[in-house]
Structure formats: C-alpha cells, structure tokens
Amino acid sequence: MQPGLNQLLFISTALFFIGVYGFFTRRNLVTILMSVELILNSVNLNFIAFN
Amino acid sequence: MSGSTIIFYLLAALTLGSGLMAVTTRKIFRAAIYLLFSLIGIAGIYFWLQYEFIAAVQIVVYVGGIVVLIIFSIFLTQQSGEELPRQKTGRIIFSALAAFCGFLLVILQIYQHVFLKTDQNPVEVNVSNIGIQMLGVSNYGYALPFEVVSILLLAAMIACIVIAMRTRPEIKETTV
C-alpha cells in the first residue's frame, strides 16, 4: 500500500491520542509536559501532511 | 512494495512505538529518551516527504532544544533513578479506553471523508521564500506577528526571572 495522505493522518491521529493517554495517566508534571509535546508534534505532522 | 514504502512504515513504527513507550514507561529518564526517538522519527518522516528545511528545523528545535531542556529539568528537579508513582488502575483503564475510542472515531471520520484538492497553484516553497514572507512588511508579510511573539517571549522571560528571584529579607539596622 503506497503511503499517502491517509497513512500520514493515521500516524498523526495515533500520536495525538498517545499523547492524550499520557496526559491523562501521568502524575508527574514533567511527563505531562512530554505528552503535550507529543500532541503538538502530531499537530505539526497534520499541517505538513495537508501541505 | 518498494524500498521507499518500507522506509516509510519503519519510520512510522519508530515514531508510534517510541511514543507509546514514552507515555507508558515508569522511569522518567527513559521516557525522555523515548520521546527523543519519537521526535527523530517524525523528522525522518519529514525527510521522507522531502521537506528538508522543516526536518532540519524539527531536529534543531525539538531534538536539540526541547528534549535537552526536559532532560535538564529532570536532572535538576527529579530523582531520575527511581520509578514514578503508579497511577490508579481504574484511571489507566478508563483513559486508555477514552483514547482508543477517540482514535477510532477520528480514524473512521478520516477514512470516510473525501478530501478535495485545491485548484490553486502550489507555491514554490524554499528557504528564501520563507524568509521573505516571515520578515516582509508588505501586505502578506509576517513582520508584525513576529515582533509581537518576540515581545511575548521577552515578557515570559522577565516573568520567569521575577518568579525565581529570591526575596531577601530586610536587614533592620539597629539603632543604638
């Protein structure tokens, strides 16, 4: 299957929800910050996928 | 299945796998290292898409800046050898369920939706065009937002210094 827009959006969505999971389950402020970084990166990937 | 496709799926597996490990591992320093590999995987995807400038910026800003900042703050504030306190099992189960359901919902929406192509001509994206756009003062330039953001960063830096500044107790001069 040739990678296209859908595959990139799949990666972006999966990364976003991995970040959301980490945001909910972590109890440490630094690790919550790391989850937020994952979410921000998925948003960046989404922008670039549509470019 | 060509080699390019295989490289793409390897990069995707690197990104998602190390992202998942970054949010589930119990050692905080390992979480930072897994986050580093996830960000490198995203930079590799940008390289695969042939956006070399954005990939370089991703490596410089995230890998070189933010991960190093996180590692410094771990070393300064946490005990990095110990394991993190365990979260309640019910909370783990419910947040995994919520994340998974949200993921399924969004993926179904994406695969059902048909994205229309724009009829506008693609803009030539290279570094000099980005620079001209970023610092342009003409109609569509970004010089004013750029300066506003830099003022915001300056204000945040001053606020950090004020918060971190130790208030020295007043030394009362004793009068004889």
Side-chain angles (χ1 to χ4, degrees):
Chain A
M1 193 160 53
Q2 189 66 27
L5 180 63
N6 274 344
Q7 276 71 32
L8 284 171
L9 290 182
F10 181 88
I11 294 174
S12 166
T13 315
L15 208 61
F16 182 85
F17 282 102
I18 286 172
V20 168
Y21 170 76
F23 188 81
F24 282 144
T25 54
R26 291 296 198 177
R27 307 179 76 175
N28 192 317
L29 201 61
V30 177
T31 47
I32 288 177
L33 188 72
M34 285 158 60
S35 312
V36 173
E37 290 297 330
L38 278 182
I39 294 175
L40 291 180
N41 261 287
S42 77
V43 174
N44 276 345
L45 187 60
N46 212 344
F47 280 141
I48 287 170
F50 278 110
N51 187 1
Chain B
M1 203 173 199
S2 65
S4 162
T5 312
I6 293 173
I7 289 176
F8 176 79
Y9 284 115
L10 282 181
L11 285 173
L14 172 71
T15 306
L16 292 183
S18 45
L20 199 61
M21 290 300 289
V23 296
T24 51
T25 184
R26 301 264 316 277
K27 294 258 177 75
I28 186 168
F29 189 71
R30 287 188 193 168
I33 298 300
Y34 282 124
L35 179 73
L36 176 79
F37 278 106
S38 181
L39 297 178
I40 287 177
I42 292 177
I45 291 174
Y46 293 161
F47 269 120
W48 187 87
L49 290 166
Q50 296 179 335
Y51 293 124
E52 286 90 2
F53 178 66
I54 298 176
V57 167
Q58 166 89 9
I59 287 179
V60 168
V61 171
Y62 281 95
V63 179
I66 288 180
V67 171
V68 171
L69 190 74
I70 286 175
I71 289 175
F72 263 105
S73 60
I74 287 172
F75 276 152
L76 288 179
T77 61
Q78 317 275 328
Q79 260 120 35
S80 56
E82 295 176 5
E83 294 200 335
L84 292 173
R86 188 181 287 279
Q87 182 64 269
K88 288 194 220 66
T89 315
R91 195 175 161 96
I92 288 180
I93 290 172
F94 277 112
S95 44
L97 203 65
F100 188 68
C101 291
F103 174 71
L104 281 187
L105 201 68
V106 175
I107 283 296
L108 283 180
Q109 289 295 321
I110 285 174
Y111 280 100
Q112 280 176 2
H113 190 262
V114 178
F115 292 105
L116 299 175
K117 289 204 167 168
T118 174
D119 53 351
Q120 306 236 331
N121 289 323
V123 183
E124 182 69 28
V125 180
N126 53 27
V127 182
S128 69
N129 271 349
I130 293 174
I132 289 170
Q133 180 98 45
M134 183 69 93
L135 294 177
V137 290
S138 62
N139 202 2
Y140 294 108
Y142 282 94
L144 183 63
F146 187 77
E147 295 299 327
V148 169
V149 167
S150 62
I151 291 291
L152 180 68
L153 281 179
L154 181 67
M157 201 164 74
I158 292 174
C160 283
I161 292 173
V162 169
I163 288 172
M165 198 163 51
R166 181 182 299 170
T167 53
R168 196 166 291 169
E170 294 276 323
I171 299 171
K172 293 263 173 68
E173 293 198 9
T174 51
T175 53
V176 180

